Amino acid sequence: MAVTPFPSATVRLQDPAYRDRNLTTLAIELGFSSASAFSTAFRHRFGTSPRDIRRA
């Protein structure tokens, strides 16, 4: 069974402790090869961008 990085991603995007990390850094920490790959997969899964989640 594959482990999905998205629960951790949504927590990190909303956690003030991670505000100083840009999306590229978060993407790499979560195992994606780039911010673009992370954003595409995130948008496909949730229907919104990681940036929108962070701003909410």
Side-chain angles (χ1 to χ4, degrees), residues 2-56:
V3 175
T4 177
F6 292 118
S8 181
T10 57
V11 169
R12 290 181 189 196
L13 288 167
Q14 296 172 334
D15 188 338
Y18 288 91
R19 285 280 182 202
D20 64 331
R21 290 192 177 103
N22 62 37
L23 291 179
T24 300
T25 301
L26 287 175
I28 300 301
E29 289 175 353
L30 293 167
F32 289 89
S33 60
S34 67
S36 177
F38 170 62
S39 292
T40 299
F42 193 94
R43 184 179 295 275
H44 180 73
R45 172 82 159 77
F46 294 106
T48 191
S49 71
R51 184 166 285 143
D52 289 342
I53 296 296
R54 179 169 262 181
R55 289 181 185 158

